[in-house]
Amino acid sequence: MVAIDKNKPICVTGASGYIASWIVKYLLDDGFLVHATVRDSSKESSVAHLLKAANGAKGTLKLFDADLIQEGSFTKAIEGCELVIHTASPFVIKGFTDPYEALIRPAVEGTDNVLKSCNAVESVRRVVLTSSVASIYGDAVEILKAPGGVFTEQLWNNTSSESHQPYSYSKVMAERRAWEICKNQSRWDLVTINPSLVMGPSLTTQTQSTSIDVMRDLGSGRQRTGVPLLEFGIVDVREVAKAHISAGFNPDAEGRHILSAHTASLLQMATILRARFPKYPLPKKQLPKFLVKLVAPIAAGVSRDFIQKNVGYALKFDNSRSTSSLGVRYRPLTETLCEHFAQMIEDGLLKRR
Ligand code: NAP
Protein backbone atom coordinates (compact mmCIF):
# COMPACT_ATOMS: atom_id res chain seq x y z
CA MET A 1 0.00 0.00 0.00
CA VAL A 2 1.54 3.32 -1.14
CA ALA A 3 0.08 6.73 -0.38
CA ILE A 4 1.56 9.39 -2.65
CA ASP A 5 2.09 12.88 -1.21
CA LYS A 6 0.05 15.17 -3.48
CA ASN A 7 2.28 18.14 -2.65
CA LYS A 8 5.27 16.52 -4.32
CA PRO A 9 5.89 16.90 -8.06
CA ILE A 10 4.75 14.16 -10.46
CA CYS A 11 7.13 13.11 -13.23
CA VAL A 12 5.58 12.24 -16.63
CA THR A 13 8.00 10.89 -19.27
CA GLY A 14 7.31 11.42 -22.99
CA ALA A 15 5.01 14.27 -21.95
CA SER A 16 4.49 15.66 -25.44
CA GLY A 17 2.91 12.41 -26.70
CA TYR A 18 -0.72 11.70 -27.57
CA ILE A 19 -1.58 9.90 -24.30
CA ALA A 20 0.87 11.71 -22.02
CA SER A 21 -0.30 15.19 -22.95
CA TRP A 22 -3.79 14.32 -21.60
CA ILE A 23 -2.18 12.99 -18.40
CA VAL A 24 -0.23 16.23 -18.03
CA LYS A 25 -3.32 18.34 -18.74
CA TYR A 26 -5.43 16.55 -16.10
CA LEU A 27 -2.63 16.81 -13.52
CA LEU A 28 -2.21 20.53 -14.21
CA ASP A 29 -5.98 21.08 -14.03
CA ASP A 30 -5.90 19.36 -10.61
CA GLY A 31 -3.18 21.69 -9.35
CA PHE A 32 -0.12 19.42 -9.41
CA LEU A 33 3.46 20.39 -10.11
CA VAL A 34 4.33 18.32 -13.19
CA HIS A 35 7.90 17.45 -14.13
CA ALA A 36 7.38 16.76 -17.83
CA THR A 37 10.16 15.14 -19.87
CA VAL A 38 10.45 15.72 -23.61
CA ARG A 39 13.30 14.96 -25.98
CA ASP A 40 13.85 18.59 -26.89
CA SER A 41 12.09 21.32 -24.96
CA SER A 42 13.39 23.98 -27.34
CA LYS A 43 11.29 22.42 -30.14
CA GLU A 44 8.17 24.56 -30.12
CA SER A 45 6.00 21.91 -31.80
CA SER A 46 6.78 19.41 -28.99
CA VAL A 47 5.79 21.67 -26.15
CA ALA A 48 3.32 24.30 -27.43
CA HIS A 49 0.28 22.21 -26.44
CA LEU A 50 1.77 21.54 -22.99
CA LEU A 51 2.39 25.24 -22.39
CA LYS A 52 -1.19 25.92 -23.54
CA ALA A 53 -2.51 23.32 -21.07
CA ALA A 54 -0.48 24.95 -18.30
CA ASN A 55 -1.68 28.42 -19.12
CA GLY A 56 -4.38 29.29 -16.60
CA ALA A 57 -4.36 25.83 -14.99
CA LYS A 58 -4.10 25.50 -11.19
CA GLY A 59 -0.89 23.48 -11.45
CA THR A 60 2.63 24.22 -12.66
CA LEU A 61 4.55 22.73 -15.58
CA LYS A 62 8.32 22.23 -15.48
CA LEU A 63 9.97 20.90 -18.63
CA PHE A 64 13.04 18.64 -18.63
CA ASP A 65 15.00 17.24 -21.57
CA ALA A 66 15.53 13.48 -21.49
CA ASP A 67 16.20 10.75 -24.04
CA LEU A 68 15.33 7.11 -23.49
CA ILE A 69 18.66 5.89 -24.78
CA GLN A 70 20.74 8.23 -22.66
CA GLU A 71 21.50 6.71 -19.29
CA GLY A 72 20.81 9.03 -16.38
CA SER A 73 18.97 11.62 -18.46
CA PHE A 74 15.72 11.21 -16.49
CA THR A 75 17.27 11.59 -13.03
CA LYS A 76 16.91 15.35 -12.79
CA ALA A 77 13.21 15.23 -13.73
CA ILE A 78 12.54 12.46 -11.20
CA GLU A 79 14.28 14.21 -8.29
CA GLY A 80 11.77 15.09 -5.55
CA CYS A 81 8.98 12.97 -7.10
CA GLU A 82 7.20 10.15 -5.30
CA LEU A 83 5.20 9.24 -8.41
CA VAL A 84 6.71 8.63 -11.86
CA ILE A 85 4.43 7.98 -14.85
CA HIS A 86 6.55 6.42 -17.59
CA THR A 87 4.78 6.64 -20.95
CA ALA A 88 7.68 7.42 -23.34
CA SER A 89 8.15 4.70 -25.97
CA PRO A 90 7.81 4.81 -29.74
CA PHE A 91 4.41 3.67 -31.08
CA VAL A 92 5.13 3.17 -34.76
CA ILE A 93 4.39 0.11 -36.85
CA LYS A 94 5.80 1.20 -40.22
CA GLY A 95 8.34 3.57 -41.79
CA PHE A 96 11.48 2.05 -40.23
CA THR A 97 14.09 -0.40 -41.46
CA ASP A 98 15.68 -1.46 -38.21
CA PRO A 99 13.07 -2.58 -35.64
CA TYR A 100 15.68 -2.92 -32.92
CA GLU A 101 16.84 0.69 -33.14
CA ALA A 102 13.39 2.13 -33.93
CA LEU A 103 11.38 0.28 -31.27
CA ILE A 104 13.01 -2.32 -29.10
CA ARG A 105 16.07 -0.41 -27.92
CA PRO A 106 14.21 2.78 -26.89
CA ALA A 107 11.42 0.74 -25.23
CA VAL A 108 13.60 -1.69 -23.26
CA GLU A 109 16.76 0.35 -22.70
CA GLY A 110 14.50 3.35 -22.02
CA THR A 111 12.56 1.49 -19.32
CA ASP A 112 15.85 0.36 -17.87
CA ASN A 113 17.18 3.91 -17.78
CA VAL A 114 14.03 5.44 -16.30
CA LEU A 115 13.82 2.77 -13.59
CA LYS A 116 17.53 3.01 -12.79
CA SER A 117 16.92 6.72 -12.20
CA CYS A 118 13.97 5.77 -9.96
CA ASN A 119 16.35 3.53 -8.02
CA ALA A 120 18.84 6.38 -7.74
CA VAL A 121 16.30 8.95 -6.47
CA GLU A 122 15.30 8.31 -2.85
CA SER A 123 11.90 10.04 -3.07
CA VAL A 124 10.29 7.59 -5.57
CA ARG A 125 7.48 5.41 -4.14
CA ARG A 126 5.43 4.36 -7.19
CA VAL A 127 5.96 3.94 -10.92
CA VAL A 128 3.03 3.73 -13.33
CA LEU A 129 4.13 2.25 -16.65
CA THR A 130 2.23 2.61 -19.92
CA SER A 131 2.39 -0.92 -21.24
CA SER A 132 -0.14 -2.31 -23.74
CA VAL A 133 -2.40 -5.24 -24.54
CA ALA A 134 0.49 -6.00 -26.91
CA SER A 135 2.31 -7.41 -23.90
CA ILE A 136 -0.69 -9.66 -23.20
CA TYR A 137 -1.03 -11.19 -26.68
CA GLY A 138 0.90 -11.01 -29.94
CA ASP A 139 -1.52 -12.13 -32.67
CA ALA A 140 -5.32 -12.14 -32.70
CA VAL A 141 -5.38 -15.91 -33.32
CA GLU A 142 -4.20 -16.35 -29.69
CA ILE A 143 -7.76 -15.57 -28.58
CA LEU A 144 -8.64 -19.14 -29.59
CA LYS A 145 -6.35 -20.49 -26.87
CA ALA A 146 -7.02 -17.84 -24.21
CA PRO A 147 -8.78 -19.40 -21.18
CA GLY A 148 -12.52 -18.76 -21.58
CA GLY A 149 -11.85 -17.05 -24.93
CA VAL A 150 -10.90 -13.81 -23.15
CA PHE A 151 -7.61 -11.91 -22.86
CA THR A 152 -6.82 -11.18 -19.21
CA GLU A 153 -3.94 -9.72 -17.20
CA GLN A 154 -2.78 -13.28 -16.44
CA LEU A 155 -1.52 -13.70 -19.99
CA TRP A 156 1.81 -12.72 -21.55
CA ASN A 157 2.74 -12.26 -25.18
CA ASN A 158 5.15 -15.11 -25.94
CA THR A 159 4.91 -15.01 -29.73
CA SER A 160 6.22 -11.64 -30.90
CA SER A 161 9.83 -11.17 -31.93
CA GLU A 162 12.10 -8.64 -33.57
CA SER A 163 10.98 -9.87 -37.00
CA HIS A 164 7.29 -10.58 -36.27
CA GLN A 165 5.24 -7.84 -34.57
CA PRO A 166 8.30 -5.85 -33.35
CA TYR A 167 6.17 -3.14 -31.69
CA SER A 168 4.40 -5.77 -29.59
CA TYR A 169 7.78 -7.34 -28.82
CA SER A 170 9.11 -3.96 -27.67
CA LYS A 171 6.17 -3.59 -25.29
CA VAL A 172 6.31 -7.05 -23.76
CA MET A 173 10.09 -6.90 -23.32
CA ALA A 174 9.85 -3.45 -21.73
CA GLU A 175 7.11 -4.54 -19.33
CA ARG A 176 9.00 -7.70 -18.39
CA ARG A 177 12.11 -5.63 -17.72
CA ALA A 178 10.10 -3.25 -15.54
CA TRP A 179 8.73 -6.08 -13.34
CA GLU A 180 12.21 -7.56 -13.06
CA ILE A 181 13.76 -4.26 -11.89
CA CYS A 182 10.85 -3.64 -9.53
CA LYS A 183 11.30 -7.07 -7.92
CA ASN A 184 14.93 -6.32 -7.06
CA GLN A 185 14.15 -3.41 -4.75
CA SER A 186 11.46 -2.56 -2.19
CA ARG A 187 11.18 1.26 -2.06
CA TRP A 188 8.77 1.73 -4.99
CA ASP A 189 6.01 -0.39 -6.46
CA LEU A 190 4.92 -0.80 -10.06
CA VAL A 191 1.44 -0.53 -11.59
CA THR A 192 0.95 -1.07 -15.31
CA ILE A 193 -1.72 0.27 -17.64
CA ASN A 194 -2.26 -2.02 -20.63
CA PRO A 195 -4.45 -0.19 -23.16
CA SER A 196 -5.79 -1.60 -26.40
CA LEU A 197 -5.90 0.78 -29.41
CA VAL A 198 -6.28 4.28 -28.02
CA MET A 199 -8.52 6.67 -29.95
CA GLY A 200 -10.13 10.04 -29.21
CA PRO A 201 -9.14 13.68 -29.65
CA SER A 202 -5.46 14.62 -29.49
CA LEU A 203 -4.08 17.75 -27.85
CA THR A 204 -1.18 17.73 -30.33
CA THR A 205 -0.93 17.48 -34.12
CA GLN A 206 2.75 16.52 -33.89
CA THR A 207 2.48 12.97 -32.53
CA GLN A 208 3.80 9.99 -34.51
CA SER A 209 1.31 7.72 -32.71
CA THR A 210 -0.22 4.95 -34.82
CA SER A 211 -3.58 5.87 -33.25
CA ILE A 212 -3.68 8.91 -35.50
CA ASP A 213 -2.59 6.93 -38.59
CA VAL A 214 -5.46 4.45 -38.13
CA MET A 215 -8.00 7.28 -38.22
CA ARG A 216 -6.25 9.09 -41.08
CA ASP A 217 -6.18 5.90 -43.17
CA LEU A 218 -9.93 5.42 -42.63
CA GLY A 219 -10.93 9.02 -43.42
CA SER A 220 -8.53 9.95 -46.20
CA GLY A 221 -9.91 7.56 -48.82
CA ARG A 222 -6.81 5.35 -48.72
CA GLN A 223 -8.99 2.39 -47.76
CA ARG A 224 -12.04 3.29 -49.87
CA THR A 225 -11.91 -0.02 -51.80
CA GLY A 226 -12.32 -1.99 -48.59
CA VAL A 227 -10.66 -3.14 -45.39
CA PRO A 228 -9.62 -6.50 -43.97
CA LEU A 229 -11.62 -8.01 -41.12
CA LEU A 230 -9.21 -6.72 -38.50
CA GLU A 231 -10.68 -6.28 -35.06
CA PHE A 232 -9.31 -4.02 -32.33
CA GLY A 233 -9.97 -3.38 -28.69
CA ILE A 234 -10.56 0.37 -28.47
CA VAL A 235 -10.35 2.79 -25.56
CA ASP A 236 -10.69 6.55 -25.29
CA VAL A 237 -7.46 8.49 -24.67
CA ARG A 238 -9.12 10.47 -21.87
CA GLU A 239 -10.03 7.30 -19.97
CA VAL A 240 -6.46 6.02 -20.46
CA ALA A 241 -5.04 9.25 -19.06
CA LYS A 242 -7.37 9.22 -16.03
CA ALA A 243 -6.51 5.56 -15.39
CA HIS A 244 -2.80 6.45 -15.14
CA ILE A 245 -3.59 9.10 -12.54
CA SER A 246 -5.87 6.82 -10.60
CA ALA A 247 -3.20 4.09 -10.71
CA GLY A 248 -0.75 6.62 -9.30
CA PHE A 249 -2.84 7.73 -6.37
CA ASN A 250 -4.95 4.72 -5.39
CA PRO A 251 -2.92 3.27 -2.49
CA ASP A 252 -4.29 -0.20 -3.20
CA ALA A 253 -3.59 -0.25 -6.95
CA GLU A 254 -1.26 -3.07 -7.93
CA GLY A 255 -0.34 -5.20 -10.92
CA ARG A 256 -1.53 -4.97 -14.52
CA HIS A 257 -4.71 -3.33 -15.84
CA ILE A 258 -6.24 -3.94 -19.25
CA LEU A 259 -7.84 -0.72 -20.52
CA SER A 260 -10.25 -1.60 -23.32
CA ALA A 261 -13.80 -0.36 -23.64
CA HIS A 262 -15.10 -1.87 -26.88
CA THR A 263 -14.08 -4.14 -29.71
CA ALA A 264 -14.74 -3.15 -33.31
CA SER A 265 -13.49 -4.04 -36.77
CA LEU A 266 -12.20 -1.40 -39.17
CA LEU A 267 -15.49 -1.66 -41.10
CA GLN A 268 -17.55 -1.21 -37.94
CA MET A 269 -15.49 1.87 -37.08
CA ALA A 270 -16.04 3.25 -40.60
CA THR A 271 -19.79 2.58 -40.39
CA ILE A 272 -20.07 4.52 -37.12
CA LEU A 273 -18.11 7.42 -38.64
CA ARG A 274 -20.10 7.46 -41.90
CA ALA A 275 -23.35 8.10 -40.02
CA ARG A 276 -21.85 11.38 -38.73
CA PHE A 277 -19.49 12.22 -41.62
CA PRO A 278 -21.35 11.04 -44.76
CA LYS A 279 -19.20 13.03 -47.21
CA TYR A 280 -15.96 11.19 -46.38
CA PRO A 281 -14.63 8.29 -48.50
CA LEU A 282 -14.81 5.80 -45.63
CA PRO A 283 -14.56 2.09 -46.52
CA LYS A 284 -17.88 0.31 -47.12
CA LYS A 285 -16.66 -3.21 -47.79
CA GLN A 286 -14.76 -5.95 -46.04
CA LEU A 287 -12.12 -7.60 -48.25
CA PRO A 288 -11.89 -11.41 -48.28
CA LYS A 289 -8.89 -12.82 -46.42
CA PHE A 290 -7.40 -14.55 -49.49
CA LEU A 291 -7.37 -11.23 -51.38
CA VAL A 292 -5.82 -9.38 -48.44
CA LYS A 293 -3.13 -12.08 -48.26
CA LEU A 294 -2.43 -11.58 -51.93
CA VAL A 295 -2.20 -7.78 -52.03
CA ALA A 296 -1.28 -6.63 -48.52
CA PRO A 297 2.44 -7.51 -48.67
CA ILE A 298 2.86 -5.16 -51.64
CA ALA A 299 0.12 -2.59 -50.96
CA ALA A 300 0.66 -2.21 -47.20
CA GLY A 301 4.02 -3.86 -46.49
CA VAL A 302 2.33 -6.37 -44.21
CA SER A 303 3.48 -10.01 -44.16
CA ARG A 304 1.25 -12.96 -45.12
CA ASP A 305 2.03 -14.45 -41.72
CA PHE A 306 0.57 -11.34 -40.05
CA ILE A 307 -2.59 -11.57 -42.19
CA GLN A 308 -2.95 -15.28 -41.48
CA LYS A 309 -2.70 -14.78 -37.71
CA ASN A 310 -4.68 -11.55 -37.35
CA VAL A 311 -7.42 -11.25 -39.96
CA GLY A 312 -10.81 -12.74 -39.14
CA TYR A 313 -10.62 -13.19 -35.37
CA ALA A 314 -13.06 -11.68 -32.87
CA LEU A 315 -11.32 -10.33 -29.77
CA LYS A 316 -12.53 -10.20 -26.19
CA PHE A 317 -10.85 -8.41 -23.26
CA ASP A 318 -11.56 -8.60 -19.55
CA ASN A 319 -11.48 -4.95 -18.40
CA SER A 320 -12.92 -5.61 -14.93
CA ARG A 321 -9.73 -4.65 -13.01
CA SER A 322 -9.78 -1.21 -14.67
CA THR A 323 -13.30 -0.51 -13.48
CA SER A 324 -13.06 -2.07 -10.02
CA SER A 325 -9.57 -0.99 -9.01
CA LEU A 326 -9.08 2.24 -10.98
CA GLY A 327 -12.72 3.39 -11.18
CA VAL A 328 -12.60 3.79 -14.97
CA ARG A 329 -15.96 4.60 -16.60
CA TYR A 330 -15.87 3.98 -20.34
CA ARG A 331 -17.68 6.32 -22.72
CA PRO A 332 -19.57 5.10 -25.82
CA LEU A 333 -17.47 4.17 -28.87
CA THR A 334 -19.37 6.60 -31.12
CA GLU A 335 -18.28 9.51 -28.94
CA THR A 336 -14.61 8.46 -28.99
CA LEU A 337 -14.47 7.91 -32.75
CA CYS A 338 -16.54 10.92 -33.84
CA GLU A 339 -14.76 13.37 -31.53
CA HIS A 340 -11.41 12.09 -32.79
CA PHE A 341 -12.47 12.41 -36.44
CA ALA A 342 -13.95 15.89 -35.93
CA GLN A 343 -10.80 17.08 -34.23
CA MET A 344 -8.59 15.77 -37.06
CA ILE A 345 -10.71 17.76 -39.52
CA GLU A 346 -10.43 20.80 -37.27
CA ASP A 347 -6.63 20.41 -37.12
CA GLY A 348 -6.32 20.00 -40.91
CA LEU A 349 -5.15 16.37 -40.64
CA LEU A 350 -8.20 15.34 -42.69
CA LYS A 351 -9.52 17.41 -45.58
CA ARG A 352 -12.65 19.44 -44.82
CA ARG A 353 -15.54 18.14 -46.98
P1 NAP B 1 3.22 9.12 -29.08
O1 NAP B 1 2.34 10.27 -29.17
O2 NAP B 1 4.09 8.82 -30.25
O3 NAP B 1 4.10 9.22 -27.77
C1 NAP B 1 5.31 8.54 -27.64
C2 NAP B 1 6.22 9.37 -26.78
O4 NAP B 1 7.45 8.68 -26.61
C3 NAP B 1 6.53 10.72 -27.40
O5 NAP B 1 6.35 11.71 -26.43
C4 NAP B 1 8.00 10.61 -27.77
O6 NAP B 1 8.70 11.80 -27.59
C5 NAP B 1 8.50 9.62 -26.74
N1 NAP B 1 9.72 9.01 -27.22
C6 NAP B 1 9.90 8.20 -28.29
N2 NAP B 1 11.21 7.89 -28.42
C7 NAP B 1 11.86 8.54 -27.42
C8 NAP B 1 13.22 8.64 -27.00
N3 NAP B 1 14.19 8.01 -27.66
N4 NAP B 1 13.49 9.40 -25.91
C9 NAP B 1 12.53 10.06 -25.24
N5 NAP B 1 11.22 10.01 -25.58
C10 NAP B 1 10.91 9.26 -26.66
O7 NAP B 1 2.40 7.77 -28.83
P2 NAP B 1 1.27 7.39 -27.77
O8 NAP B 1 0.23 6.67 -28.53
O9 NAP B 1 0.91 8.52 -26.92
O10 NAP B 1 2.06 6.30 -26.91
C11 NAP B 1 2.47 6.54 -25.57
C12 NAP B 1 2.66 5.22 -24.88
O11 NAP B 1 1.45 4.49 -24.88
C13 NAP B 1 3.70 4.29 -25.51
O12 NAP B 1 4.38 3.64 -24.47
C14 NAP B 1 2.85 3.31 -26.28
O13 NAP B 1 3.50 2.08 -26.48
C15 NAP B 1 1.68 3.18 -25.34
N6 NAP B 1 0.44 2.66 -25.93
C16 NAP B 1 -0.17 3.38 -26.93
C17 NAP B 1 -1.36 2.89 -27.46
C18 NAP B 1 -2.11 3.64 -28.53
O14 NAP B 1 -3.02 3.06 -29.12
N7 NAP B 1 -1.78 4.89 -28.79
C19 NAP B 1 -1.91 1.69 -26.99
C20 NAP B 1 -1.24 1.00 -25.98
C21 NAP B 1 -0.07 1.50 -25.45
P3 NAP B 1 8.95 12.84 -28.77
O15 NAP B 1 7.72 13.68 -28.79
O16 NAP B 1 10.16 13.55 -28.34
O17 NAP B 1 9.10 12.04 -30.04
Side-chain angles (χ1 to χ4, degrees):
M1 194 158 131
V2 175
I4 296 296
D5 181 347
K6 294 193 169 177
N7 294 311
K8 299 272 169 66
I10 314 294
C11 178
V12 181
T13 71
S16 54
Y18 170 52
I19 295 173
S21 44
W22 277 105
I23 300 174
V24 171
K25 180 180 164 33
Y26 287 141
L27 288 171
L28 290 171
D29 287 348
D30 282 347
F32 288 97
L33 166 58
V34 182
H35 285 191
T37 79
V38 293
R39 259 188 282 194
D40 180 2
S41 59
S42 67
K43 205 165 124 196
E44 213 244 327
S45 59
S46 287
V47 297
H49 62 293
L50 298 177
L51 297 173
K52 187 173 164 208
N55 193 9
K58 277 192 284 173
T60 306
L61 178 73
K62 251 180 114 171
L63 295 169
F64 293 82
D65 286 6
D67 195 303
L68 288 169
I69 52 174
Q70 238 176 56
E71 201 178 330
S73 68
F74 288 86
T75 306
K76 232 179 145 75
I78 292 173
E79 270 166 13
C81 299
E82 290 192 354
L83 174 61
V84 175
I85 302 179
H86 174 39
T87 83
S89 203
F91 180 29
V92 287
I93 54 170
K94 55 187 178 196
F96 52 82
T97 47
D98 182 346
Y100 178 77
E101 283 300 325
L103 288 164
I104 299 154
R105 184 172 173 217
V108 182
E109 215 173 290
T111 299
D112 220 57
N113 283 333
V114 169
L115 297 184
K116 272 185 188 151
S117 293
C118 291
N119 278 345
V121 175
E122 280 297 317
S123 55
V124 178
R125 294 285 173 272
R126 173 163 290 176
V127 176
V128 176
L129 172 76
T130 317
S131 188
S132 170
V133 291
S135 62
I136 296 207
Y137 76 101
D139 294 300
V141 64
E142 289 159 38
I143 195 73
L144 302 179
K145 288 196 177 148
V150 186
F151 289 131
T152 69
E153 289 91 353
Q154 309 294 318
L155 301 171
W156 284 89
N157 172 358
N158 289 314
T159 59
S160 297
S161 67
E162 198 171 316
S163 56
H164 178 72
Q165 302 269 42
Y167 167 70
S168 302
Y169 187 60
S170 78
K171 294 307 285 179
V172 67
M173 295 313 281
E175 191 189 328
R176 282 191 185 281
R177 180 65 61 89
W179 285 113
E180 198 182 300
I181 298 172
C182 175
K183 207 177 64 197
N184 290 326
Q185 56 77 55
S186 57
R187 179 170 25 85
W188 50 268
D189 69 1
L190 178 67
V191 182
T192 72
I193 302 296
N194 300 68
S196 56
L197 179 65
V198 182
M199 304 296 271
S202 174
L203 297 172
T204 169
T205 54
Q206 297 303 313
T207 165
Q208 305 295 309
S209 177
T210 297
S211 294
I212 314 302
D213 292 345
V214 170
M215 197 54 111
R216 194 190 281 119
D217 285 351
L218 279 176
S220 64
R222 196 171 167 261
Q223 296 173 326
R224 58 155 58 88
T225 50
V227 278
L229 175 47
L230 258 184
E231 197 165 295
F232 296 92
I234 301 173
V235 58
D236 193 283
V237 66
R238 294 159 288 190
E239 267 84 86
V240 175
K242 283 182 185 157
H244 280 78
I245 296 170
S246 174
F249 290 111
N250 174 356
D252 300 321
E254 47 84 34
R256 312 171 87 196
H257 300 83
I258 288 178
L259 264 274
S260 190
H262 313 276
T263 51
S265 67
L266 288 169
L267 188 62
Q268 284 167 332
M269 288 159 71
T271 306
I272 289 172
L273 290 165
R274 189 172 317 100
R276 185 79 65 85
F277 304 96
K279 291 185 185 156
Y280 282 80
L282 290 149
K284 289 185 180 154
K285 266 197 334 206
Q286 210 139 255
L287 301 171
K289 190 165 176 175
F290 79 89
L291 185 65
V292 179
K293 252 183 168 172
L294 211 65
V295 298
I298 300 145
V302 179
S303 74
R304 295 214 163 93
D305 194 28
F306 173 86
I307 306 293
Q308 182 59 29
K309 292 173 176 163
N310 289 280
V311 171
Y313 300 98
L315 303 177
K316 207 166 170 195
F317 296 92
D318 178 355
N319 65 10
S320 55
R321 295 198 84 239
S322 70
T323 53
S324 64
S325 151
L326 305 180
V328 176
R329 296 286 167 268
Y330 293 110
R331 72 189 73 209
L333 180 59
T334 308
E335 200 175 306
T336 298
L337 296 179
C338 292
E339 289 182 7
H340 193 171
F341 203 85
Q343 176 255 318
M344 286 184 65
I345 299 169
E346 191 62 38
D347 286 347
L349 297 177
L350 284 170
K351 225 196 277 173
R352 199 172 283 281
R353 289 173 193 264

